Amino acid sequence: HMKQILITLTSILTILSYNIPSEAGNIIYNEKDLSSSLTTAITQDSQGYIWIGTEYGLNRFDGISFKAYHHEEGKEGSIRNNIIRSLFTDSEGRLWVGYLNGLQLYNPRTDKFADISFGETQRALNISNIYELNNGKIWGEASRMGIFEMDKDNITAPRVKELRDLCGTDNIINL
């Protein structure tokens, strides 16, 4: 039932965000619209906002208008990348954002995003899925790089080595 609602909402948002080309061939973009019609992820946070990830930015919908978040080079608290791969709201109401090159946690008090460090893994990871286990632990699935467990206190995500040892590979897709 929830999946049907998300599909319907995504379809409505796509129609609402349709960008019209001008005579010069440029896209006319209204800042109050969805940043792109290419939606990749959607979730609702504990305050009722609907978050929509796209191929060009992250959007927060309050029921009336959109607020778009885009990567701003060198600006602390900016989203890490404009290509959003996954969104997840955990049981404590925190918003996790997975990118083509990393993971961030949203702070609603400051309206900023904090980078999650992957410890021994220095390269940027494509976070394709984020899960919450029954015990409250948050796992991020890094495409072809394994599973990482979020340490919410230290804003880090060490690899779940036990899972890699059990499976014999880090190439774990869609738990």
Side-chain angles (χ1 to χ4, degrees):
H1 182 63
M2 183 65 168
K3 191 170 189 172
Q4 177 113 22
I5 291 170
L6 290 176
I7 291 170
T8 302
L9 183 57
T10 301
S11 298
I12 291 168
L13 293 173
T14 300
I15 292 167
L16 289 174
S17 67
Y18 183 71
N19 292 318
I20 302 168
S22 69
E23 290 178 24
N26 298 325
I27 298 295
I28 299 171
Y29 172 70
N30 181 344
E31 288 183 359
K32 298 294 183 190
D33 291 342
L34 192 61
S35 63
S36 171
S37 60
L38 297 171
T39 58
T40 56
I42 189 167
T43 191
Q44 185 172 17
D45 70 15
S46 60
Q47 297 178 332
Y49 291 114
I50 297 173
W51 292 86
I52 303 106
T54 72
E55 290 282 331
Y56 184 65
L58 179 62
N59 302 264
R60 186 178 71 191
F61 184 61
D62 63 8
I64 297 170
S65 62
F66 293 95
K67 177 176 181 178
Y69 296 83
H70 292 97
H71 174 69
E72 296 178 52
E73 192 66 40
K75 184 176 180 186
E76 187 176 331
S78 167
I79 65 171
R80 185 170 182 79
N81 191 305
N82 286 324
I83 301 174
I84 311 301
R85 286 290 176 239
S86 54
L87 294 172
F88 183 75
T89 303
D90 67 20
S91 61
E92 295 181 32
R94 292 176 299 223
L95 175 67
W96 300 85
V97 185
Y99 302 93
L100 187 63
N101 66 342
L103 179 72
Q104 289 183 308
L105 182 59
Y106 175 68
N107 184 336
R109 289 187 313 276
T110 62
D111 196 31
K112 294 185 178 183
F113 299 83
D115 285 329
I116 305 298
S117 169
F118 288 94
E120 85 277 358
T121 304
Q122 297 301 314
R123 61 184 274 199
L125 301 176
N126 179 357
I127 304 300
S128 55
N129 286 299
I130 305 165
Y131 307 94
E132 183 167 11
L133 306 180
N134 289 338
N135 61 10
K137 292 181 180 182
I138 306 295
W139 281 8
E141 178 183 323
S143 296
R144 310 222 185 299
M145 292 296 293
I147 304 297
F148 294 79
E149 183 176 313
M150 308 315 145
D151 179 339
K152 298 169 256 188
D153 297 327
N154 297 314
I155 313 295
T156 60
R159 186 186 310 268
V160 179
K161 294 178 182 174
E162 298 85 6
L163 188 59
R164 178 182 60 195
D165 293 344
L166 283 171
C167 297
T169 182
D170 280 326
N171 192 8
I172 301 167
I173 302 171
N174 295 326
L175 285 177

